[in-house]
DNA sequence: TATTGTTATACTCTATAACTATA
DNA sequence: TATAGTTATAGAGTATAACAATA
């Protein structure tokens, strides 16, 4: 495939991915803000500290304090002092937090599934292959 | 393809589209906020009024006023009174606004193209088919 | 009186700077 | 003195309610 054609494809793909993303997010009011979801999602993999979370999320420490306070107030995470270095705080997701995360994912996925279920087997096969390629694209 | 498998595919696809979207947007500081881009993009197709824009963008009229004031201050659009109904304001994109829009698109598409250019012809063919299917998905 | 757009005001999320506690 | 986290304060974006201009 020529470079010009690839450039056109890139633009179209980027555009359609953004529209899928936008609709899956906006058409489902999950009452969990994007930054809250992102932090909770991160904590689902492993516990962390406010500072590390702020760095990973590219947000200032005070902003992260606020985000954590909100999630803590909803029982989605706990903040405890690190016994080895009492300056640090250990942030852990709770079972309630995990449940919240599952709800959000389910709601978003539901939007997509409603549409994918109407496609032909052949179309699904193409999307299945495409998904693997896009994983490679986004991994870089 | 079975429903369970389709459900899995939907989830994976939704997730990868969101990651593509996020990276294409965040890794390019374009100095045009998402809501500004969206409005300007709309005006690129046709001129409109603040009220119509607020409805289309699902935003309150005062918020739209603010957004328009910001874009007007940058010379990206003009606001003129409609001579036929002097209550209404006609919002038009300027040549400077169109140039701004092109810049943002180019920067975002460049991120995608850098990755698509490294794929095989076969992979591009799959993505090309997938793009058309996703257009159908997102149109619903 | 109804409609369009803006201003007034408040709430949320963001940031930088100042502060507290610990190392 | 340096570091982790929070509080103080200010700057964008959002909203609803109140207002001015026009129909």
């Amino acid at each position: 495939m020529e470079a010009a054609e690839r450039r056109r494809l890139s633009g179209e793909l980027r555009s359609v991915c953004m529209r899928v993303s936008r609709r899956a997010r906006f058409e489902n009011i999950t009452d969990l803000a994007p930054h809250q979801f992102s932090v909770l999602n991160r904590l689902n993999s492993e516990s962390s500290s406010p500072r590390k979370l702020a760095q990973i999320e590219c947000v200032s420490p005070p902003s992260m304090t606020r985000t954590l306070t909100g999630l803590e107030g909803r029982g989605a995470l706990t903040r405890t002092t690190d016994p080895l270095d009492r300056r640090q705080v250990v942030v852990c997701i709770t079972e309630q937090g995990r449940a919240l995360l599952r709800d959000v994912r389910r709601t978003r996925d539901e939007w997509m599934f409603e549409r994918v279920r109407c496609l032909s087997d052949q179309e699904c096969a193409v999307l299945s292959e495409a998904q693997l390629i896009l994983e490679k694209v986004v991994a870089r």
Side-chain angles (χ1 to χ4, degrees), chain A residues 79-95:
Chain A
R79 285 195 273 197
T80 50
T81 307
D82 185 338
L84 297 170
D85 181 347
R86 295 172 49 75
R87 291 174 305 182
Q88 291 194 50
V89 166
V90 181
V91 186
C92 290
I93 193 169
T94 60
E95 196 40 57

Side-chain angles (χ1 to χ4, degrees), chain A residues 3 19 24 31 46 53 65 72 75 81 84 87-88 92 100 107 110 124 135:
Chain A
R19 277 174 286 150
D31 116 293
E46 64 173 333
L53 288 168
T65 292
E72 189 183 34
T81 307
L84 297 170
R87 291 174 305 182
Q88 291 194 50
C92 290
L100 199 55
T107 317
E110 201 55 39
C124 283
E135 294 289 346

Side-chain angles (χ1 to χ4, degrees), chain A residues 22-42:
Chain A
R22 187 182 169 84
R23 294 196 55 190
R25 193 149 54 87
F26 279 104
E27 292 181 19
N28 294 293
I29 300 129
T30 51
D31 116 293
L32 197 60
H35 64 285
Q36 292 180 314
F37 176 82
S38 190
V39 165
L40 211 50
N41 194 34
R42 181 93 37 195

